[in-house]
Amino acid sequence: MAIQIFAGESARKEIQHQGLLPERIKLMVGASGGPKWLMLSRLDQYICEHFLPKAPQPMSLIGSSVGAWRMACYAQNDPLGAFKEFEALYMDQQYSRPMSPQAITVFVEKVLKALFNDDRAREIVNNENRKLHVVAVRNRKLLNSQHGFMQGVSLAAAATGNLISPKIVEALYPRVLISQQGSFEPYSNKPETIELSVENLRQSLTASGAIPVVLEPSKIIGGKDRLHWDGGMVDYHFSGPFNADDGLVFYPHFFPKLIPGWFDKALPWRKIKAKNYSNVVMITPSKKFISNLPFGKIPDRKDFVDMSDHDREVYWHKVLVATDKLVEEFHEIMEKDGGASVVQPIERIL
């Protein structure tokens, strides 16, 4: 199969009994991943057009980095149109070599202004049915600098501390959640919060995707006078647990693997606990499907370095066309039995 469904213990039992019901979803999650999100673009379009309209209940949306951008598209009045525009804008990236943080930031601002102008930002901020939560981190006062050297020192300290505990990363880069009325619904414990507004939505989305040294950070109106960075540093793929005990957590993911934090990518022993994902339903492309893509992989940031703009665009377009198969299979599975016959234990990818 091209697509797979994984679920935690309680979610799997529910799906095996009655299928995946959209009206049971309380929270939707979007992971960090840069260009990896293209694996989900066509699936996102299907979900917002055909799947989530069957879910009239209020739902929280949480994301870091590009996952936050995706969730912000879901929170608009016309999410399908937003996703189509996002895909087109994202595909049209061209940079002089070597790429600079300033050039990438210019592109980010261009996309954000197009996708989330003031009218659309107002839709998102006032959407009571799809409540957006954007994850970022901020600098401590003594490390509050855009200078490359200071960024390097901060990152080195965080990476070293992460070998001991991810809590050290959070101590150096405190998690910041930007949301309607400072909500922290997706979390069991309250992090630092900033109230989402029309004025700070684009700042928040810029910050959430601002990889240190790669992009420029931003300050956020309503927050502390600090530079804010990529939320994936603490919530790369989200380690849970999620505050959705009376419903399901719906998590379309671009790869059948989960990595808690950005600094955990090189630490194979750092894993997410199965008990934290008991009510999570994850939709992912299969490893076999990915192996049959051009170059046998999904898009990633290295494509900007390893390929010319033309070759990268051709490759990404082939990937997008291939992912239409994910949409077809997801539709067939939902029509058949809501995933009851194919759902697998989430422990297989933790």
Side-chain angles (χ1 to χ4, degrees), residues 3-122:
I3 200 166
Q4 295 177 301
I5 300 178
F6 298 96
E9 183 177 5
S10 66
R12 189 173 76 258
K13 290 178 180 177
E14 178 175 325
I15 293 171
Q16 288 172 335
H17 176 67
Q18 62 187 19
L20 173 58
L21 302 178
E23 59 266 30
R24 287 285 297 141
I25 298 171
K26 182 176 180 180
L27 172 65
M28 190 169 179
V29 179
S32 298
K36 297 181 180 72
W37 88 273
L38 292 171
M39 292 294 296
L40 299 173
S41 178
R42 301 294 168 85
L43 192 59
D44 279 331
Q45 293 173 41
Y46 175 87
I47 288 169
C48 67
E49 184 178 16
H50 299 288
F51 187 68
L52 287 187
K54 301 174 185 177
Q57 74 280 7
M59 186 183 302
S60 291
L61 311 170
I62 188 168
S64 60
S65 192
V66 75
W69 292 33
R70 289 175 51 233
M71 294 303 106
C73 288
Y74 275 110
Q76 293 191 29
N77 291 352
D78 179 18
L80 177 61
F83 273 114
K84 288 183 175 180
E85 189 174 1
F86 186 19
E87 179 185 295
L89 288 166
Y90 203 87
M91 289 289 289
D92 187 29
Q93 295 188 62
Q94 295 189 4
Y95 301 100
S96 58
R97 300 295 194 272
M99 294 169 60
S100 68
Q102 293 76 20
I104 301 173
T105 300
V106 168
F107 169 78
V108 167
E109 291 175 348
K110 170 189 171 183
V111 174
L112 289 177
K113 286 179 181 177
L115 289 177
F116 309 110
N117 59 37
D118 285 354
D119 289 337
R120 293 180 177 182
R122 199 167 289 110

Side-chain angles (χ1 to χ4, degrees), residues 4-244:
Q4 295 177 301
I5 300 178
F6 298 96
E9 183 177 5
S10 66
R12 189 173 76 258
K13 290 178 180 177
E14 178 175 325
I15 293 171
Q16 288 172 335
H17 176 67
Q18 62 187 19
L20 173 58
L21 302 178
E23 59 266 30
R24 287 285 297 141
I25 298 171
K26 182 176 180 180
L27 172 65
M28 190 169 179
V29 179
S32 298
K36 297 181 180 72
W37 88 273
L38 292 171
M39 292 294 296
L40 299 173
S41 178
R42 301 294 168 85
L43 192 59
D44 279 331
Q45 293 173 41
Y46 175 87
I47 288 169
C48 67
E49 184 178 16
H50 299 288
F51 187 68
L52 287 187
K54 301 174 185 177
Q57 74 280 7
M59 186 183 302
S60 291
L61 311 170
I62 188 168
S64 60
S65 192
V66 75
W69 292 33
R70 289 175 51 233
M71 294 303 106
C73 288
Y74 275 110
Q76 293 191 29
N77 291 352
D78 179 18
L80 177 61
F83 273 114
K84 288 183 175 180
E85 189 174 1
F86 186 19
E87 179 185 295
L89 288 166
Y90 203 87
M91 289 289 289
D92 187 29
Q93 295 188 62
Q94 295 189 4
Y95 301 100
S96 58
R97 300 295 194 272
M99 294 169 60
S100 68
Q102 293 76 20
I104 301 173
T105 300
V106 168
F107 169 78
V108 167
E109 291 175 348
K110 170 189 171 183
V111 174
L112 289 177
K113 286 179 181 177
L115 289 177
F116 309 110
N117 59 37
D118 285 354
D119 289 337
R120 293 180 177 182
R122 199 167 289 110
E123 293 175 5
I124 294 168
V125 171
N126 295 323
N127 192 337
E128 291 297 320
N129 220 39
R130 301 289 185 256
K131 298 180 180 180
L132 179 65
H133 299 74
V134 178
V135 182
V137 300
R138 66 168 174 83
N139 278 132
R140 290 292 187 183
K141 186 174 182 180
L142 293 177
L143 301 173
N144 195 46
S145 172
Q146 251 182 278
H147 192 280
F149 175 77
M150 188 58 71
Q151 288 183 44
V153 170
S154 301
L155 288 173
T160 302
N162 187 59
L163 294 171
I164 302 171
S165 170
K167 292 182 179 180
I168 295 178
V169 178
E170 295 179 35
L172 290 169
Y173 291 100
R175 179 187 287 104
V176 179
L177 190 65
I178 308 96
S179 57
Q180 292 180 20
Q181 301 172 336
S183 162
F184 62 99
E185 288 179 2
Y187 292 99
S188 299
N189 299 314
K190 183 179 180 180
E192 184 175 315
T193 60
I194 300 173
E195 183 170 352
L196 184 68
S197 67
V198 173
E199 292 75 23
N200 71 16
L201 173 65
R202 290 196 294 273
Q203 294 175 342
S204 303
L205 294 173
T206 297
S208 186
I211 303 170
V213 185
V214 177
L215 275 82
E216 295 181 331
S218 69
K219 294 185 178 181
I220 300 175
I221 294 173
K224 293 187 177 182
D225 185 23
R226 302 286 188 274
L227 298 173
H228 291 74
W229 301 91
D230 194 329
M233 294 172 71
V234 292
D235 285 323
Y236 189 56
H237 295 165
F238 292 87
S239 60
F242 300 101
N243 184 31

Side-chain angles (χ1 to χ4, degrees), residues 307-340:
M307 303 179 192
S308 67
D309 288 334
H310 172 75
D311 290 345
R312 173 174 46 79
E313 185 174 343
V314 170
Y315 159 51
W316 283 4
H317 179 72
K318 289 180 179 178
V319 169
L320 285 173
V321 172
T323 60
D324 286 336
K325 179 65 175 176
L326 303 178
V327 174
E328 293 171 10
E329 283 198 6
F330 183 68
H331 174 77
E332 291 170 359
I333 289 169
M334 291 300 103
E335 288 293 305
K336 179 184 177 182
D337 60 10

Side-chain angles (χ1 to χ4, degrees), residues 1-4 6 39 254-256 284-298 322 325-326 329 344:
M1 295 183 66
I3 200 166
Q4 295 177 301
F6 298 96
M39 292 294 296
F254 44 74
F255 193 81
T284 80
S286 67
K287 289 184 178 180
K288 182 177 180 180
F289 175 80
I290 292 171
S291 69
N292 289 326
L293 292 174
F295 307 111
K297 71 175 194 67
I298 64 178
K325 179 65 175 176
L326 303 178
E329 283 198 6
Q344 302 178 59

